[in-house]
Protein backbone atom coordinates (compact mmCIF):
# COMPACT_ATOMS: atom_id res chain seq x y z
CA UNK A 1 0.00 0.00 0.00
CA UNK A 2 1.97 3.01 -1.25
CA UNK A 3 1.31 6.71 -1.56
CA UNK A 4 1.21 8.67 -4.79
CA UNK A 5 4.89 9.37 -4.12
CA UNK A 6 5.66 5.65 -4.15
CA UNK A 7 6.45 5.77 -0.42
CA UNK A 8 5.04 2.85 1.60
CA UNK A 9 5.82 4.60 4.88
CA UNK A 10 2.89 7.03 4.70
CA UNK A 11 -0.25 5.36 6.05
CA UNK A 12 -3.69 6.71 6.89
CA UNK A 13 -6.16 4.87 9.11
CA UNK A 14 -9.77 5.71 9.83
CA UNK A 15 -11.75 4.87 12.94
CA UNK A 16 -15.55 4.94 13.15
CA UNK A 17 -16.43 8.60 13.72
CA UNK A 18 -16.21 9.89 10.14
CA UNK A 19 -15.25 7.30 7.54
CA UNK A 20 -16.65 9.29 4.55
CA UNK A 21 -14.32 12.19 5.39
CA UNK A 22 -11.41 9.80 5.91
CA UNK A 23 -11.98 8.42 2.40
CA UNK A 24 -11.86 11.94 0.94
CA UNK A 25 -8.66 12.75 2.84
CA UNK A 26 -6.98 9.53 1.71
CA UNK A 27 -8.00 10.20 -1.89
CA UNK A 28 -6.51 13.70 -1.71
CA UNK A 29 -3.23 12.33 -0.32
CA UNK A 30 -3.16 9.50 -2.85
CA UNK A 31 -3.28 6.49 -0.55
CA UNK A 32 -5.70 3.72 0.26
CA UNK A 33 -6.99 3.69 3.83
CA UNK A 34 -5.07 1.27 6.04
CA UNK A 35 -6.60 -2.06 6.97
CA UNK A 36 -7.93 -2.19 10.50
CA UNK A 37 -11.04 -3.27 12.35
CA UNK A 38 -12.90 -1.81 15.32
CA UNK A 39 -15.21 -4.18 17.17
CA UNK A 40 -16.96 -4.35 20.51
CA UNK A 41 -17.13 -7.20 22.96
CA UNK A 42 -20.54 -8.11 24.35
CA UNK A 43 -19.94 -5.92 27.41
CA UNK A 44 -19.15 -2.87 25.27
CA UNK A 45 -15.34 -2.98 25.48
CA UNK A 46 -13.61 -1.82 22.29
CA UNK A 47 -11.26 -4.12 20.40
CA UNK A 48 -8.99 -2.82 17.64
CA UNK A 49 -6.92 -4.88 15.22
CA UNK A 50 -4.41 -3.43 12.74
CA UNK A 51 -4.37 -5.82 9.80
CA UNK A 52 -1.13 -4.74 8.12
CA UNK A 53 2.43 -3.96 9.14
CA UNK A 54 3.06 -0.37 10.19
CA UNK A 55 6.58 -0.86 11.53
CA UNK A 56 8.65 2.27 10.85
CA UNK A 57 5.73 4.03 9.13
CA UNK A 58 4.47 7.60 9.59
CA UNK A 59 0.85 6.95 10.49
CA UNK A 60 -2.06 9.41 10.41
CA UNK A 61 -5.21 8.41 12.33
CA UNK A 62 -8.45 10.23 11.47
CA UNK A 63 -10.99 10.50 14.26
CA UNK A 64 -13.42 13.22 15.35
CA UNK A 65 -14.47 12.98 18.97
CA UNK A 66 -18.08 13.80 18.14
CA UNK A 67 -21.12 11.87 19.34
CA UNK A 68 -20.90 9.23 20.72
CA UNK A 69 -18.06 11.26 22.24
CA UNK A 70 -16.74 8.79 24.80
CA UNK A 71 -16.80 5.81 22.43
CA UNK A 72 -14.93 7.77 19.77
CA UNK A 73 -12.42 9.05 22.33
CA UNK A 74 -11.69 5.53 23.59
CA UNK A 75 -11.35 4.20 20.03
CA UNK A 76 -8.78 6.90 19.37
CA UNK A 77 -6.74 6.23 22.51
CA UNK A 78 -6.75 2.45 21.97
CA UNK A 79 -5.69 2.92 18.34
CA UNK A 80 -2.78 5.14 19.36
CA UNK A 81 -1.65 2.52 21.87
CA UNK A 82 -1.91 -0.24 19.25
CA UNK A 83 0.17 1.78 16.76
CA UNK A 84 2.82 2.54 19.37
CA UNK A 85 3.12 -1.13 20.33
CA UNK A 86 3.33 -2.08 16.63
CA UNK A 87 6.44 0.14 16.22
CA UNK A 88 5.03 2.99 14.13
CA UNK A 89 7.70 5.62 13.47
CA UNK A 90 5.35 8.55 14.17
CA UNK A 91 1.70 8.66 15.25
CA UNK A 92 -0.14 11.71 13.93
CA UNK A 93 -3.65 12.26 15.21
CA UNK A 94 -6.00 14.05 12.79
CA UNK A 95 -8.95 15.46 14.76
CA UNK A 96 -11.38 17.34 12.50
CA UNK A 97 -13.50 17.94 15.62
CA UNK A 98 -12.08 18.07 19.16
CA UNK A 99 -14.72 17.02 21.67
CA UNK A 100 -14.70 18.45 25.22
CA UNK A 101 -13.08 21.63 23.81
CA UNK A 102 -15.71 23.82 25.48
CA UNK A 103 -14.48 22.71 28.90
CA UNK A 104 -11.25 24.69 28.50
CA UNK A 105 -11.20 26.64 31.80
CA UNK A 106 -12.72 26.79 35.28
CA UNK A 107 -15.74 29.08 35.11
CA UNK A 108 -16.87 28.22 38.65
CA UNK A 109 -15.50 26.45 41.71
CA UNK A 110 -14.66 22.73 41.60
CA UNK A 111 -15.01 22.41 37.82
CA UNK A 112 -12.65 20.21 35.77
CA UNK A 113 -10.71 21.42 32.75
CA UNK A 114 -11.64 18.45 30.61
CA UNK A 115 -10.07 19.76 27.40
CA UNK A 116 -6.70 19.59 29.19
CA UNK A 117 -7.48 16.09 30.50
CA UNK A 118 -8.17 14.89 26.95
CA UNK A 119 -4.88 16.44 25.79
CA UNK A 120 -3.05 14.62 28.59
CA UNK A 121 -4.62 11.29 27.61
CA UNK A 122 -3.71 11.73 23.94
CA UNK A 123 -0.09 12.46 24.84
CA UNK A 124 0.16 9.65 27.37
CA UNK A 125 -1.29 7.17 24.87
CA UNK A 126 1.63 7.97 22.56
CA UNK A 127 0.62 10.51 19.89
CA UNK A 128 3.50 12.52 18.40
CA UNK A 129 1.46 15.28 16.71
CA UNK A 130 -2.10 16.56 16.50
CA UNK A 131 -3.74 18.11 13.44
CA UNK A 132 -6.88 19.98 14.52
CA UNK A 133 -9.50 22.14 12.86
CA UNK A 134 -11.03 25.26 14.43
CA UNK A 135 -10.54 24.46 18.10
CA UNK A 136 -13.23 26.08 20.25
CA UNK A 137 -10.50 27.83 22.22
CA UNK A 138 -7.11 28.53 20.63
CA UNK A 139 -5.32 28.06 23.96
CA UNK A 140 -6.02 24.31 23.74
CA UNK A 141 -2.90 24.16 21.54
CA UNK A 142 -0.95 25.02 24.69
CA UNK A 143 -2.49 22.10 26.60
CA UNK A 144 -0.22 19.80 24.57
CA UNK A 145 3.55 19.35 24.85
CA UNK A 146 3.64 17.93 21.33
CA UNK A 147 3.22 19.87 18.04
CA UNK A 148 -0.34 20.94 17.23
CA UNK A 149 -1.18 22.17 13.73
CA UNK A 150 -4.36 24.23 13.96
CA UNK A 151 -6.24 24.63 10.66
CA UNK A 152 -8.98 27.20 10.14
CA UNK A 153 -12.37 26.72 8.52
CA UNK A 154 -12.71 30.37 7.43
CA UNK A 155 -10.80 29.96 4.12
CA UNK A 156 -13.16 27.13 3.09
CA UNK A 157 -16.29 29.00 4.14
CA UNK A 158 -15.00 32.11 2.37
CA UNK A 159 -14.60 30.13 -0.84
CA UNK A 160 -18.28 29.10 -0.65
CA UNK A 161 -19.49 32.70 -0.26
CA UNK A 162 -17.13 34.07 -2.92
CA UNK A 163 -17.95 31.30 -5.40
CA UNK A 164 -21.66 32.08 -5.04
CA UNK A 165 -21.28 35.87 -5.26
CA UNK A 166 -22.57 36.38 -1.73
CA UNK A 167 -19.85 38.83 -0.68
CA UNK A 168 -21.72 41.77 -2.27
CA UNK A 169 -23.30 44.08 0.33
CA UNK A 170 -22.27 41.59 3.01
CA UNK A 171 -21.40 42.13 6.64
CA UNK A 172 -19.77 39.37 8.67
CA UNK A 173 -21.26 38.92 12.13
CA UNK A 174 -19.79 37.26 15.19
CA UNK A 175 -22.51 35.76 17.42
CA UNK A 176 -20.50 36.73 20.52
CA UNK A 177 -17.44 38.70 21.61
CA UNK A 178 -15.26 35.57 21.74
CA UNK A 179 -15.65 34.91 18.00
CA UNK A 180 -14.52 38.33 16.76
CA UNK A 181 -11.13 37.07 15.54
CA UNK A 182 -12.84 34.36 13.48
CA UNK A 183 -15.33 36.86 12.03
CA UNK A 184 -12.53 39.29 11.17
CA UNK A 185 -10.68 36.52 9.31
CA UNK A 186 -13.73 35.75 7.15
CA UNK A 187 -14.35 39.46 6.65
CA UNK A 188 -10.80 39.88 5.30
CA UNK A 189 -11.50 37.25 2.64
CA UNK A 190 -14.86 38.81 1.71
CA UNK A 191 -13.58 42.41 2.02
CA UNK A 192 -16.58 43.13 4.23
CA UNK A 193 -17.14 44.98 7.53
CA UNK A 194 -17.95 43.15 10.76
CA UNK A 195 -20.61 43.38 13.44
CA UNK A 196 -20.98 41.70 16.83
CA UNK A 197 -23.99 40.25 18.60
CA UNK A 198 -23.81 41.26 22.26
CA UNK A 199 -25.44 38.56 24.34
CA UNK A 200 -25.33 37.01 27.75
CA UNK A 201 -25.67 33.32 28.54
CA UNK A 202 -27.56 32.64 31.81
CA UNK A 203 -26.72 28.93 31.64
CA UNK A 204 -25.30 26.33 29.24
CA UNK A 205 -27.07 26.13 25.86
CA UNK A 206 -29.26 29.13 26.74
CA UNK A 207 -28.52 32.54 25.22
CA UNK A 208 -30.33 35.86 25.46
CA UNK A 209 -29.63 38.41 22.72
CA UNK A 210 -28.93 41.92 23.97
CA UNK A 211 -28.08 44.13 20.97
CA UNK A 212 -26.14 44.40 17.72
CA UNK A 213 -22.84 46.29 17.65
CA UNK A 214 -22.52 47.60 14.10
CA UNK A 215 -24.88 48.69 11.34
CA UNK A 216 -26.47 45.73 9.52
CA UNK A 217 -29.37 47.60 7.93
CA UNK A 218 -29.67 46.82 4.22
CA UNK A 219 -26.86 44.28 4.41
CA UNK A 220 -26.59 40.55 3.79
CA UNK A 221 -25.56 39.30 7.23
CA UNK A 222 -23.18 36.31 7.38
CA UNK A 223 -22.92 34.77 10.82
CA UNK A 224 -19.82 32.69 11.54
CA UNK A 225 -19.06 30.48 14.53
CA UNK A 226 -16.75 27.55 15.23
CA UNK A 227 -19.66 25.22 16.01
CA UNK A 228 -23.43 25.09 16.12
CA UNK A 229 -24.76 22.79 18.83
CA UNK A 230 -28.39 23.29 19.85
CA UNK A 231 -28.64 26.32 17.49
CA UNK A 232 -30.18 28.54 20.18
CA UNK A 233 -27.56 31.29 19.86
CA UNK A 234 -27.37 31.31 16.07
CA UNK A 235 -31.15 31.38 15.49
CA UNK A 236 -31.71 34.15 18.06
CA UNK A 237 -28.86 36.11 16.47
CA UNK A 238 -30.39 35.65 13.01
CA UNK A 239 -33.73 37.02 14.18
CA UNK A 240 -32.04 39.96 15.91
CA UNK A 241 -30.19 40.78 12.68
CA UNK A 242 -33.40 40.71 10.66
CA UNK A 243 -35.06 42.94 13.27
CA UNK A 244 -32.19 45.41 12.81
CA UNK A 245 -32.82 45.61 9.06
CA UNK A 246 -30.60 42.93 7.50
CA UNK A 247 -31.92 41.87 4.07
CA UNK A 248 -31.09 38.19 4.63
CA UNK A 249 -29.06 36.06 7.01
CA UNK A 250 -26.63 33.25 6.23
CA UNK A 251 -25.16 31.18 9.03
CA UNK A 252 -21.85 29.34 8.79
CA UNK A 253 -19.80 27.16 11.12
CA UNK A 254 -16.98 24.68 10.85
CA UNK A 255 -18.54 22.07 13.12
CA UNK A 256 -22.19 21.08 12.77
CA UNK A 257 -22.83 19.37 16.10
CA UNK A 258 -26.58 20.01 15.70
CA UNK A 259 -27.83 18.21 18.80
CA UNK A 260 -31.25 18.24 20.45
CA UNK A 261 -33.68 20.76 18.89
CA UNK A 262 -31.07 22.24 16.49
CA UNK A 263 -32.56 21.07 13.19
CA UNK A 264 -36.10 22.13 14.10
CA UNK A 265 -34.86 25.54 15.27
CA UNK A 266 -32.89 26.13 12.08
CA UNK A 267 -35.81 25.14 9.86
CA UNK A 268 -38.12 27.61 11.64
CA UNK A 269 -35.52 30.38 11.88
CA UNK A 270 -34.76 33.47 9.80
CA UNK A 271 -31.61 31.77 8.47
CA UNK A 272 -31.70 31.51 4.67
CA UNK A 273 -28.80 29.04 4.36
CA UNK A 274 -26.65 27.15 6.86
CA UNK A 275 -23.14 26.36 5.61
CA UNK A 276 -21.13 23.82 7.60
CA UNK A 277 -18.25 21.46 6.90
CA UNK A 278 -18.11 17.67 7.10
CA UNK A 279 -15.76 17.69 10.12
CA UNK A 280 -18.59 15.81 11.85
CA UNK A 281 -20.37 13.11 9.88
CA UNK A 282 -23.94 14.27 9.34
CA UNK A 283 -26.60 11.53 9.41
CA UNK A 284 -29.06 11.62 6.52
CA UNK A 285 -32.01 12.41 8.78
CA UNK A 286 -30.38 15.74 9.73
CA UNK A 287 -29.95 16.90 6.13
CA UNK A 288 -32.36 19.74 5.42
CA UNK A 289 -32.94 21.97 2.39
CA UNK A 290 -31.39 24.99 4.14
CA UNK A 291 -28.11 23.14 4.73
CA UNK A 292 -25.00 23.21 2.53
CA UNK A 293 -22.01 21.04 3.44
CA UNK A 294 -18.50 21.83 2.24
CA UNK A 295 -15.81 19.20 2.64
CA UNK A 296 -12.58 19.67 4.57
CA UNK A 297 -11.12 16.58 2.89
CA UNK A 298 -8.94 18.51 0.44
CA UNK A 299 -7.75 20.93 3.14
CA UNK A 300 -6.81 18.21 5.62
CA UNK A 301 -5.31 16.01 2.91
CA UNK A 302 -3.08 18.88 1.82
CA UNK A 303 -2.07 19.45 5.45
CA UNK A 304 -1.11 15.79 5.85
CA UNK A 305 1.08 15.95 2.75
CA UNK A 306 2.77 19.09 4.04
CA UNK A 307 3.43 17.54 7.46
CA UNK A 308 4.79 14.35 5.90
CA UNK A 309 7.08 16.32 3.60
CA UNK A 310 8.18 18.71 6.39
CA UNK A 311 6.66 21.71 4.57
CA UNK A 312 4.87 24.59 6.35
CA UNK A 313 1.13 24.26 7.02
CA UNK A 314 0.55 28.00 7.55
CA UNK A 315 -0.13 28.80 3.83
CA UNK A 316 -3.37 26.82 4.14
CA UNK A 317 -4.97 29.49 6.30
CA UNK A 318 -3.27 32.61 5.05
CA UNK A 319 -5.00 32.63 1.65
CA UNK A 320 -8.41 31.63 0.28
CA UNK A 321 -8.59 27.85 -0.05
CA UNK A 322 -10.11 27.11 -3.46
CA UNK A 323 -11.76 23.73 -3.65
CA UNK A 324 -11.13 21.61 -6.71
Amino acid sequence: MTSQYGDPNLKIFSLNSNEPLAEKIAEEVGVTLGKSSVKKFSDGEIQINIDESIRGADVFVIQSTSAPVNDNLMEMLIMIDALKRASAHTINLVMPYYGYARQDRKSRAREPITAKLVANMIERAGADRVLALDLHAAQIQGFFDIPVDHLMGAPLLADYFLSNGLEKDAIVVSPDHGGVTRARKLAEFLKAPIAIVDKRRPKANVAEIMNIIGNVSGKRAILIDDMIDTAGTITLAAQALMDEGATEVYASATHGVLSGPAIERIEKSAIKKLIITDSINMPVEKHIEKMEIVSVGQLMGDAIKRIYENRPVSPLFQTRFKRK
Side-chain angles (χ1 to χ4, degrees):
M1 189 174 302
T2 61
S3 75
Q4 61 185 0
Y5 311 106
D7 190 342
N9 288 322
L10 171 59
K11 294 182 182 290
I12 298 178
F13 286 88
S14 173
L15 296 174
N16 284 335
S17 70
N18 200 337
E19 290 186 59
L21 175 58
E23 290 280 1
K24 292 174 185 175
I25 293 172
E27 183 180 355
E28 175 65 25
V29 175
V31 303
T32 305
L33 284 175
K35 297 175 182 176
S36 63
S37 61
V38 183
K39 300 176 182 177
K40 283 190 177 181
F41 292 105
S42 56
D43 64 353
E45 290 182 3
I46 296 167
Q47 180 191 34
I48 289 180
N49 289 314
I50 300 169
D51 300 323
E52 62 181 86
S53 173
I54 50 91
R55 183 177 295 273
D58 293 304
V59 180
F60 292 81
V61 179
I62 300 165
Q63 180 79 329
S64 284
T65 47
S66 48
V69 180
N70 297 328
D71 281 359
N72 287 333
L73 180 60
M74 278 305 300
E75 279 185 17
M76 182 177 69
L77 296 173
I78 293 169
M79 182 63 163
I80 293 170
D81 185 71
L83 292 167
K84 181 176 66 174
R85 295 177 187 278
S87 302
H89 179 243
T90 61
I91 301 169
N92 305 274
L93 182 58
V94 181
M95 298 182 73
Y97 174 70
Y98 188 107
Y100 287 110
R102 284 172 282 185
Q103 299 183 48
D104 63 308
R105 66 194 184 281
K106 289 185 70 170
S107 57
R108 58 178 66 89
R110 296 174 295 280
E111 269 194 341
I113 304 178
T114 317
K116 169 61 173 167
L117 173 63
V118 170
N120 289 345
M121 291 192 293
I122 289 169
E123 279 193 55
R124 184 58 63 91
D128 296 296
R129 177 184 292 270
V130 172
L131 175 61
L133 176 67
D134 258 338
L135 293 167
H136 182 68
Q139 65 263 26
I140 291 173
Q141 296 174 83
F143 292 176
F144 291 88
D145 290 323
I146 56 176
V148 177
D149 292 298
H150 186 202
L151 300 177
M152 299 172 64
L156 270 175
L157 298 172
D159 180 66
Y160 173 87
F161 291 114
L162 290 167
S163 298
N164 289 280
L166 298 172
E167 76 279 11
K168 298 169 186 174
D169 298 320
I171 185 166
V172 178
V173 185
S174 173
D176 53 36
H177 292 275
V180 171
T181 302
R182 187 178 299 108
R184 188 173 289 119
K185 189 69 179 179
L186 180 61
E188 287 173 4
F189 286 117
L190 304 186
K191 294 181 173 57
I194 68 168
I196 304 166
V197 178
D198 182 29
K199 74 175 191 330
R200 64 183 177 88
R201 188 186 293 275
K203 58 182 180 179
N205 292 327
V206 176
E208 181 180 332
I209 300 300
M210 302 296 286
N211 53 55
I212 309 295
I213 302 172
N215 182 16
V216 300
S217 180
K219 299 279 190 179
R220 174 184 293 114
I222 299 176
L223 283 157
I224 182 169
D225 211 344
D226 65 311
M227 69 173 72
I228 297 175
D229 188 356
T230 60
T233 296
I234 210 85
T235 52
L236 284 172
Q239 188 57 54
L241 290 166
M242 292 298 289
D243 292 344
E244 288 292 317
T247 56
E248 55 187 9
V249 178
Y250 286 76
S252 61
T254 303
H255 310 298
V257 180
L258 302 181
S259 62
I263 295 297
E264 183 181 358
R265 283 175 173 173
I266 291 165
E267 284 189 311
K268 293 179 178 178
S269 74
I271 294 170
K272 183 173 182 178
K273 275 290 184 193
L274 169 66
I275 299 93
I276 57 174
T277 79
D278 57 354
S279 65
I280 296 173
N281 191 28
M282 190 66 59
V284 176
E285 61 269 19
K286 287 188 177 182
H287 285 231
I288 56 175
E289 191 175 340
K290 282 187 176 184
M291 186 186 298
E292 294 283 347
I293 300 176
V294 298
S295 181
V296 299
Q298 184 184 342
L299 174 66
M300 304 207 84
D302 199 352
I304 287 172
K305 288 188 286 188
R306 287 172 175 271
I307 291 167
Y308 183 67
E309 297 168 355
N310 291 314
R311 293 191 288 132
V313 173
S314 56
L316 297 180
F317 50 79
Q318 290 175 338
T319 57
R320 172 185 171 187
F321 192 86
K322 294 184 180 181
R323 293 165 292 156
K324 293 177 181 176

